[in-house]
Amino acid sequence: MKAIQIPAPADLRVVDIEKPEVKSGEVLLKIKYVGFCGSDLNTFLGRNPMVKLPVIPGHEVGATIEAVGTDVPAGFMADMPVTVNPYTNCGTCAACRNGRVNACEHNETFGVQRNGAMSEYLSLPWQKVIPADGISPRDCALIEPMSVGFHAVSRGQITDIDTVLVIGCGMIGIGAIVRAALRGATVIAVDLDDDKLALAKRIGADYTINSKTENLHERLQVITNGLGPDVVIEAVGSPATYIMAVNEVGFTGRVVCIGYAKSEVTFQTKYFVQKELDIRGSRNALPEDFRAVVRYLQQGDCPLEEFISNIVHPEEALNAMQQWSAAPGKVFRILVKF
């Protein structure tokens, strides 16, 4: 069967691999769409320290069920639209023992530490298959990145009395904006791109700030009546935005960090103490986050067309990745159609 492989940095090719056989306890999926995410781009650019090359990328999956193995519970039926929970957990590390399997010390994510989903078929344990009735396979490929943003909102314990600043309006930041708005919070979206900010406004942000052309601190002081936001979600992963989050959050606020900064970050640590901050990491997503995204998308109110920058066939993936690496700020999601 056809698959996409990244054998080395700056190299991406279509290869032929063996079609998997469905085993006991597994579900065989016919892959329809797989999204390229930032980790795939970093793998292609040689900037992903966790990847093991060569690798088949892809963990944002839209598929239908092709076949169901023995010892799979009822409810998994042929042609059902599904997505995939692409993380593993060991069951014995501290995170797993505490029930936070998304942060497993020994996690292996599709397309990073193990081969991913960019192939025509995929067979995996039924526990990792998430039904998505009423959602097209194309749109199922958007569930995983949104679930990461949904999880960050849970980590921030956001409620309707909070003012929330989301830094970065990519797919993960968009997910955070959506769920914070669903919880009734006042949401402020920050980005460098006016098009992304306009989309953030349409999906739930009450205020938008272009930190490239506007004075972020002054705008926040006006919006929050001088108090600063109660919660800041960092969804970029740069030293500047990490510092921004700590500087701008209000006293006794919460800072939730999703993005990985690629270099060291120097903080004025006095703010940690003076403001008595809660600084929290947010990694991957839990099954309930996936279910929450599915429920949201089933309502049909989300402008999903605007999240998709391009749909390409496997033979066009190399060119799409090269174009993305040349202008990363202009891309939401590239989907590969199988």
Side-chain angles (χ1 to χ4, degrees):
M1 66 175 181
K2 186 181 298 184
I4 291 174
Q5 185 184 74
I6 300 177
D11 190 6
L12 185 150
R13 60 187 66 175
V14 178
V15 298
D16 187 62
I17 63 173
E18 187 175 350
K19 179 182 175 181
E21 294 184 2
V22 63
K23 300 176 183 176
S24 176
E26 291 189 345
V27 177
L28 179 66
L29 304 183
K30 170 61 177 170
I31 302 299
K32 301 291 187 178
Y33 295 87
V34 184
F36 273 126
C37 86
S39 63
D40 299 318
L41 178 61
N42 283 326
T43 296
F44 178 73
L45 295 174
R47 299 174 184 170
N48 189 343
M50 296 183 290
V51 75
K52 298 177 182 178
L53 297 176
V55 70
I56 295 171
H59 56 260
E60 302 175 358
V61 181
T64 56
I65 293 178
E66 182 80 4
V68 179
T70 59
D71 297 321
V72 174
F76 295 91
M77 297 170 288
D79 298 324
M80 174 186 285
V82 298
T83 190
V84 167
N85 182 331
Y87 325 119
T88 66
N89 60 285
C90 68
T92 58
C93 73
C96 289
R97 290 175 63 187
N98 290 330
R100 290 161 66 176
V101 296
N102 58 297
C104 174
E105 181 180 356
H106 307 292
N107 167 66
E108 294 184 353
T109 298
F110 276 163
V112 185
Q113 296 92 347
R114 58 181 174 145
N115 281 332
M118 284 200 177
S119 57
E120 293 181 276
Y121 293 91
L122 180 69
S123 189
L124 72 168
W126 66 265
Q127 295 92 336
K128 296 298 181 181
V129 179
I130 300 171
D133 290 336
I135 303 174
S136 71
R138 185 202 70 176
D139 295 343
C140 283
L142 303 174
I143 292 173
E144 191 275 342
M146 290 190 72
S147 73
V148 176
F150 271 47
H151 182 68
V153 170
S154 292
R155 290 286 294 140
Q157 296 177 296
I158 290 167
T159 71
D160 58 334
I161 64 171
D162 289 317
T163 296
V164 181
L165 173 67
V166 178
I167 305 173
C169 296
M171 273 298 299
I172 291 172
I174 286 293
I177 291 166
V178 166
R179 197 173 207 189
L182 288 173
R183 291 190 175 193
T186 299
V187 183
I188 308 166
V190 174
D191 203 276
L192 302 174
D193 186 272
D194 287 331
D195 292 335
K196 290 183 178 180
L197 290 170
L199 177 56
K201 195 74 176 287
R202 288 194 289 278
I203 53 91
D206 299 281
Y207 303 92
T208 60
I209 303 173
N210 186 321
S211 57
K212 184 178 181 179
T213 60
E214 302 175 76
N215 187 306
L216 174 68
H217 179 73
E218 290 181 0
R219 283 289 313 280
L220 287 175
Q221 290 297 295
V222 171
I223 293 168
T224 65
N225 295 316
L227 299 175
D230 302 290
V231 184
V232 177
I233 296 177
E234 197 289 327
V236 175
S238 76
T241 50
Y242 262 75
I243 293 169
M244 179 189 296
V246 171
N247 287 354
E248 298 300 342
V249 70
F251 275 63
T252 68
R254 286 100 72 196
V255 176
V256 182
C257 305
I258 309 174
Y260 284 92
K262 305 303 186 294
S263 57
E264 291 185 1
V265 184
T266 302
F267 290 104
Q268 291 291 335
T269 55
K270 66 178 182 179
Y271 291 140
F272 296 7
V273 178
Q274 285 181 343
K275 294 183 179 183
E276 199 174 57
L277 299 180
D278 291 332
I279 300 177
R280 307 173 182 183
S282 183
R283 183 182 178 192
N284 299 332
L286 287 164
E288 54 260 39
D289 301 308
F290 282 89
R291 292 196 298 269
V293 175
V294 169
R295 182 176 180 181
Y296 166 67
L297 295 184
Q298 285 172 337
Q299 297 172 6
D301 299 326
C302 186
L304 291 169
E305 294 282 351
E306 299 184 52
F307 294 173
I308 301 170
S309 304
N310 198 7
I311 297 177
V312 300
H313 294 285
E315 292 78 12
E316 303 167 312
L318 174 59
N319 183 55
M321 190 66 87
Q322 290 171 334
Q323 291 180 359
W324 187 15
S325 54
K330 288 295 182 182
V331 172
F332 258 87
R333 270 301 175 271
I334 297 171
L335 301 184
V336 178
K337 181 178 181 179
F338 284 88

